[in-house]
Amino acid sequence: MAPALWGLKSLVWQKLKSSVFEDCKKEEEWKVMLLDDYTTKLLSLCCKMTDLLAEGITVVENVYKNREPVPHMKAIYFITPTKKSVDGLIDDFISKSSSRYKAAYVYFTDFCPDNLFNKIKSSCAKSIRRCKEINISFFPYESRVFTLNVPDAFYRCYSPTLAKTKDKDAVMQAMAEQIVTLCATLDENPGVRYKSGPSDKAYKLAELVEKNLENYYKTDEKSQIKAKTHSQLIIIDRGFDPVSTVLHELTFQAMAYDLLPIENDTYKYKTEGKEREAILEEDDELWVKIRHQHIADVIEEIPKLFKEASSKRKAAEGKVSISGLTQLMKKMPLYRKEISRQVIHLNLAEDCMSKFKSNIERLCKAEQDLALGTDVEGQKVKDSMRVLLPVLLNKSHESYDKIRAILLYIFSTNGTTQENLDKLIQNVQIQSDSDMIRNWKYLDVPVISSSAAQQHKYPRRDRSSEETYQLSRWTPVIKDVMEDAIENKLDSKDWPYCSQCPPTWNGSGVVSARQKPKGSYKDERRSSARLIIFVIGGITYSEMRSAYEVSQVYKSCEVVIGSTHILTPKRLLDEVKSLSKPKDMVYIKDE
């Protein structure tokens, strides 16, 4: 794999190399590697089988499954400290005569509880050469994006059925511990702050993270307390910006994941009459280049790339000498790869456009007007209901799209009357899905207006001078937060610290690109501050895009964004609907 030279995937891979592979490496000695479901996904995000081969791994197996013994080989166990994974390890060394492997090198993703550690000690201690905790308990989803291994966090954090249970406290503690392993991987001890609001979730999680950071840096390998680093970790509740979660986005990645049935980052398409699959990942340089572009720019860009590739090939074919032909033969696989990637993304863009032209285009203008409260000319929308009604009366729009429009109307008016809401639900005939609207109250977003339910809206930055497409005028609120944090403009009353303010986060170390003194790129990155944003309850693709855009503009600050999981509007509405159901009736989709 060729991960980016920077970013989370590369950092995780480097940490795994030094903490696991180099720790137990012997020249010319091949090993078996045992993984569980979590570590299989973690490794698949930051390396390929060829990378493992280079580290002396000859075969990778699942620790839960029955396997053929290979008693002459040593085994690396990279597993989570859970009963199921530990039982898999113990079963392999149940007796010396029937051991599956010659010896075991055990690496846990994070802290192993005493009861499991003692179980290993009493069962197979003699077979274990190493037993370490390496503190990587998050997924590096992209170079600037991480997720946690808590697929049911949304339900457990927001469902009223679990409001005062130990279950909610347990999920908060699990999230805090996993966030600390992210900070450890980044070698940061950040100042922790949170958005104060009607809910105390952000405050509770921030307190837990701060406490766990203190404990971690008191007991790390160096056994010395690490001072606060020039970084901030800001924790936000999902109800902070509900608009970005339901709006139709027209940038390539967000649009594709919203409109097309992409599962596990796999896009299925047809070409030359054959069904094909493509994984949308950062190994694909073209995907990285165009994923945050507006669909209109993507549709223009890909044919240009086709022409470039074809003219390069023609130029190479024009050299009829033997050396020219040799060069062409060498380059052919590269051309083939380049063209096949362009074909994938052209198919993807055309699939997005066909959905857009059939229905979405008409929706987008109404959505933007409702979200911003102003029309294309910048005139204030006087009557939001007049904007909403044409959407609801259009029979070609799906019920999900109508629900999204109703929600934007409710968000724009800070709630509506009970009578009005009942009428909307009845007229659109969405009674069975009405909880997709009503249950937003559990995220502390006003659905029924009242003097008590006024949501304090974040003051927006003026972006009137920025060039935008008419149907893409909305900017995620989190982008404003990122820029205000970097410029040290966040009000400490609304964004209090749980910890001492990092001493150099005063604007001097973090200045805009215009004021920045000249220096080499590497020096900039090494001396830069880091801004880590964590959202409880999922992040959208538009919010992920914001992290890249802000990092690009403010070269002196690296932005990393993460959450419990990645959201698409449909997935979020399904999760919101499930909040009022009893726990045993909720199906949690693992990512």
Side-chain angles (χ1 to χ4, degrees):
M1 184 180 194
L5 296 173
W6 50 273
L8 290 177
K9 292 191 173 207
S10 174
L11 282 171
V12 169
W13 175 239
Q14 292 309 319
K15 188 170 178 178
L16 287 174
K17 276 177 76 168
S18 61
S19 306
V20 177
F21 301 113
E22 285 165 21
D23 183 59
C24 62
K25 200 171 191 178
K26 250 191 180 178
E27 291 304 314
E28 294 172 24
E29 183 183 63
W30 292 95
K31 290 188 180 73
V32 176
M33 188 165 202
L34 282 303
L35 305 172
D36 56 23
D37 293 346
Y38 170 79
T39 52
T40 300
K41 181 173 177 182
L42 176 60
L43 270 183
S44 71
L45 284 166
C46 60
C47 72
K48 295 273 189 263
M49 193 61 213
T50 47
D51 299 309
L52 295 178
L53 280 167
E55 299 301 326
I57 303 299
T58 180
V59 66
V60 177
E61 301 262 29
N62 188 315
V63 74
Y64 305 147
K65 291 181 180 167
N66 201 10
R67 287 158 270 117
E68 285 296 312
V70 195
H72 64 284
M73 289 184 86
K74 293 172 185 172
I76 295 175
Y77 288 78
F78 178 38
I79 52 177
T80 49
T82 58
K83 182 182 181 299
K84 192 177 176 186
S85 296
V86 166
D87 285 347
L89 159 67
I90 291 169
D91 286 349
D92 290 345
F93 298 93
I94 206 85
S95 71
K96 200 161 187 189
S97 58
S98 63
S99 291
R100 277 205 175 97
Y101 308 106
K102 190 175 176 182
Y105 294 79
V106 182
Y107 301 89
F108 287 115
T109 51
D110 52 313
F111 176 74
C112 181
D114 289 346
N115 63 321
L116 291 179
F117 187 72
N118 292 333
K119 196 175 178 183
I120 296 169
K121 236 162 84 174
S122 61
S123 308
C124 55
K126 286 181 180 173
S127 303
I128 293 176
R129 301 281 174 87
R130 294 265 200 295
C131 190
K132 285 188 175 180
E133 296 155 348
I134 61 165
N135 292 302
I136 300 178
S137 194
F138 64 93
F139 292 125
Y141 182 71
E142 285 184 2
S143 49
R144 294 200 183 283
V145 182
F146 68 95
T147 59
L148 304 186
N149 182 31
V150 199
D152 55 351
F154 188 86
Y155 181 82
R156 286 166 69 188
C157 286
Y158 295 107
S159 173
T161 59
L162 302 177
K164 292 192 168 60
T165 62
K166 285 182 181 173
D167 202 20
K168 190 177 163 190
D169 295 338
V171 79
M172 284 285 190
Q173 181 59 34
M175 279 157 45
E177 287 168 6
Q178 292 182 27
I179 291 167
V180 168
T181 72
L182 168 91
C183 297
T185 302
L186 293 170
D187 196 24
E188 297 284 10
N189 184 5
V192 182
R193 60 199 303 195
Y194 60 94
K195 173 71 179 87
S196 62
S199 160
D200 63 352
K201 290 180 192 70
Y203 161 70
K204 277 186 176 170
L205 183 58
E207 286 279 310
L208 284 169
V209 170
E210 178 59 28
K211 193 173 151 194
N212 279 275
L213 277 169
E214 276 176 31
N215 290 342
Y216 175 78
Y217 282 117
K218 272 178 191 168
T219 57
D220 74 345
E221 302 83 49
K222 296 164 193 165
S223 297
Q224 56 190 36
I225 298 170
K226 184 182 174 78
K228 286 288 178 191
T229 52
H230 309 321
S231 59
Q232 280 189 39
L233 165 62
I234 299 179
I235 293 172
I236 304 172
D237 203 0
R238 184 59 273 173
F240 169 70
D241 174 16
V243 172
S244 296
T245 64
V246 294
L247 202 68
H248 277 94
E249 254 278 327
L250 300 182
T251 49
F252 196 30
Q253 183 184 33
M255 189 180 188
Y257 278 79
D258 182 5
L259 302 183
L260 307 177
I262 296 170
E263 289 285 328
N264 299 319
D265 303 317
T266 304
Y267 163 59
K268 294 179 180 175
Y269 65 104
K270 269 187 180 177
T271 181
E272 297 166 4
K274 288 180 185 170
E275 285 274 350
R276 296 187 188 276
E277 284 187 359
I279 295 173
L280 304 174
E281 59 181 352
E282 289 189 313
D283 273 6
D284 179 347
E285 287 170 18
L286 179 57
W287 173 243
V288 171
K289 183 183 176 184
I290 64 178
R291 65 184 166 181
H292 298 140
Q293 291 181 13
H294 193 278
I295 189 68
D297 298 328
V298 172
I299 289 288
E300 222 173 85
E301 171 105 349
I302 297 173
K304 276 186 197 165
L305 295 171
F306 264 129
K307 278 182 188 167
E308 272 174 38
S310 127
S311 61
K312 272 188 215 163
R313 198 172 65 206
K314 278 176 188 164
E317 284 168 356
K319 301 166 188 169
V320 197
S321 64
I322 296 292
S323 63
L325 285 169
T326 311
Q327 286 298 105
L328 181 62
M329 290 303 287
K330 281 181 185 170
K331 286 179 180 174
M332 278 310 270
L334 198 67
Y335 287 133
R336 215 172 289 128
K337 198 174 180 184
E338 205 177 316
I339 298 280
S340 72
R341 281 181 173 169
Q342 289 165 7
V343 168
I344 290 162
H345 296 305
L346 189 59
N347 271 286
L348 187 61
E350 284 176 350
D351 280 357
C352 285
M353 281 309 286
S354 69
K355 293 266 184 191
F356 174 72
K357 289 289 180 196
S358 63
N359 260 327
I360 308 302
E361 191 170 9
R362 278 170 292 186
L363 273 172
C364 285
K365 184 189 179 303
E367 287 185 351
Q368 292 290 318
D369 290 0
L370 288 169
L372 288 147
T374 55
D375 62 18
V376 175
E377 278 76 42
Q379 297 298 310
K380 196 172 186 308
V381 172
K382 293 188 177 118
D383 184 358
S384 298
M385 186 55 83
R386 288 183 72 175
V387 177
L388 175 66
L389 277 176
V391 174
L392 303 186
L393 295 171
N394 189 325
K395 288 180 181 169
S396 61
H397 292 321
E398 294 176 11
S399 64
Y400 269 102
D401 289 332
K402 291 181 180 182
I403 289 166
R404 287 163 74 167
I406 291 170
L407 282 166
L408 287 169
Y409 163 75
I410 290 169
F411 301 154
S412 72
T413 55
N414 235 337
T416 186
T417 63
Q418 186 67 60
E419 185 190 2
N420 196 20
L421 180 60
D422 292 342
K423 266 187 200 166
L424 285 170
I425 287 165
Q426 200 175 346
N427 291 343
V428 186
Q429 296 179 325
I430 49 167
Q431 287 89 335
S432 62
D433 288 330
S434 64
D435 281 350
M436 289 182 181
I437 298 168
R438 299 184 198 277
N439 286 355
W440 280 88
K441 64 187 176 190
Y442 302 128
L443 280 78
D444 294 291
V445 175
V447 177
I448 304 301
S449 52
S450 71
S451 54
Q454 290 302 302
Q455 192 185 33
H456 173 65
K457 296 209 172 172
Y458 189 77
R460 300 308 309 264
R461 288 173 76 103
D462 179 17
R463 297 186 184 273
S464 54
S465 61
E466 293 179 16
E467 273 188 47
T468 55
Y469 284 91
Q470 289 185 356
L471 301 182
S472 299
R473 289 174 285 134
W474 173 262
T475 302
V477 183
I478 222 160
K479 188 173 183 182
D480 289 6
V481 174
M482 290 169 181
E483 292 175 345
D484 287 348
I486 291 169
E487 293 174 10
N488 208 22
K489 289 179 181 173
L490 289 183
D491 187 332
S492 55
K493 284 183 196 149
D494 290 331
W495 302 86
Y497 277 95
C498 281
S499 46
Q500 186 191 341
C501 179
T504 57
W505 199 284
N506 56 8
S508 60
V510 186
V511 291
S512 79
R514 288 189 298 279
Q515 300 164 298
K516 177 174 56 60
K518 292 271 185 287
S520 81
Y521 180 78
K522 278 185 181 171
D523 288 343
E524 274 169 32
R525 278 302 183 203
R526 206 178 299 118
S527 62
S528 70
R530 264 201 189 100
L531 176 64
I532 306 162
I533 303 275
F534 183 81
V535 183
I536 304 169
I539 44 170
T540 67
Y541 286 95
S542 59
E543 289 167 337
M544 286 158 55
R545 186 187 80 245
S546 299
Y548 293 87
E549 290 171 346
V550 173
S551 297
Q552 186 63 35
V553 172
Y554 298 84
K555 295 285 195 297
S556 56
C557 183
E558 249 183 293
V559 183
V560 173
I561 189 168
S563 185
T564 43
H565 56 307
I566 313 285
L567 292 172
T568 60
K570 187 177 185 300
R571 177 176 181 176
L572 177 68
L573 293 179
D574 290 340
E575 288 187 331
V576 168
K577 183 182 177 179
S578 74
L579 290 178
S580 48
K581 292 178 183 173
K583 191 180 179 185
D584 55 1
M585 286 179 67
V586 177
Y587 165 69
I588 303 293
K589 181 187 177 219
D590 196 349
E591 282 192 273

